Amino acid sequence: MPTKQVPPPSGARRRSERTRKGYATDWSAWSKFCAESGLPLSAVTSTTLVRFVDWLWTQPGWKKGTRTAPSTIDRRIAGTVVTARTDHGLILERNVARSARRRLKQLVAQMEEGTETRGRGPWPWREKDTPAPPAATTAR
């Protein structure tokens, strides 16, 4: 009698609980963007991901009075693309997020030229009570 083959677990089942929650939050942001933009959820393309980045750039951050951090926007791009592929079965172009990440880099460069800051602030080693990491040495 032939044995029944069991399909391998989906990528979503192999992810940690924290990653699954993060990707669910990312998809929720994508869903809100699509609803506000009049797009179907399946419209995950290079062009719409660039528009998504521009939209995310204007959204409130985790702390009152701030805007979404670049690292969060980058993760939202990844979570949206992964969820579209794995959970919704969409077939996307290989580098669908490339233009969106390029746009995010442009926005970050503009932000760094000004006085705006986003995110939770400097890394711990920039705090006065935390020693700085060892400086990199160059060979002569």
Side-chain angles (χ1 to χ4, degrees), residues 16-28:
S16 72
E17 181 64 24
R18 186 174 178 163
T19 300
R20 283 194 302 271
K21 285 181 180 179
Y23 282 3
T25 302
D26 299 337
W27 190 257
S28 177

Side-chain angles (χ1 to χ4, degrees), residues 5-139:
Q5 288 190 346
V6 177
S10 74
R13 284 189 225 127
R14 292 189 300 247
R15 291 188 197 104
S16 72
E17 181 64 24
R18 186 174 178 163
T19 300
R20 283 194 302 271
K21 285 181 180 179
Y23 282 3
T25 302
D26 299 337
W27 190 257
S28 177
W30 173 255
S31 299
K32 184 177 177 184
F33 162 74
C34 288
E36 289 182 15
S37 303
L39 296 168
L41 291 175
S42 61
V44 183
T45 66
S46 292
T47 303
T48 56
L49 286 172
V50 169
R51 289 176 54 196
F52 185 46
V53 167
D54 286 332
W55 179 81
L56 286 168
W57 193 256
T58 66
Q59 298 304 300
W62 70 278
K63 188 175 176 182
K64 187 177 180 178
T66 64
R67 298 284 182 200
T68 307
S71 59
T72 300
I73 294 172
D74 188 61
R75 214 276 321 288
R76 296 248 189 273
I77 296 166
T80 297
V81 169
V82 169
T83 302
R85 284 181 172 141
T86 60
D87 296 359
H88 298 277
L90 298 178
I91 298 174
L92 308 175
E93 59 186 273
R94 186 169 186 259
N95 294 313
V96 69
R98 181 180 287 161
S99 295
R101 288 204 168 91
R102 193 175 301 128
R103 176 63 179 146
L104 179 58
K105 285 182 182 182
Q106 290 171 343
L107 291 169
V108 169
Q110 291 170 5
M111 176 191 72
E112 289 173 346
E113 289 174 3
T115 58
E116 180 184 14
T117 58
R118 289 173 179 244
R120 296 180 186 212
W123 288 98
W125 61 75
R126 291 191 182 161
E127 294 177 5
K128 63 181 180 180
D129 298 330
T130 307
T137 58
T138 56

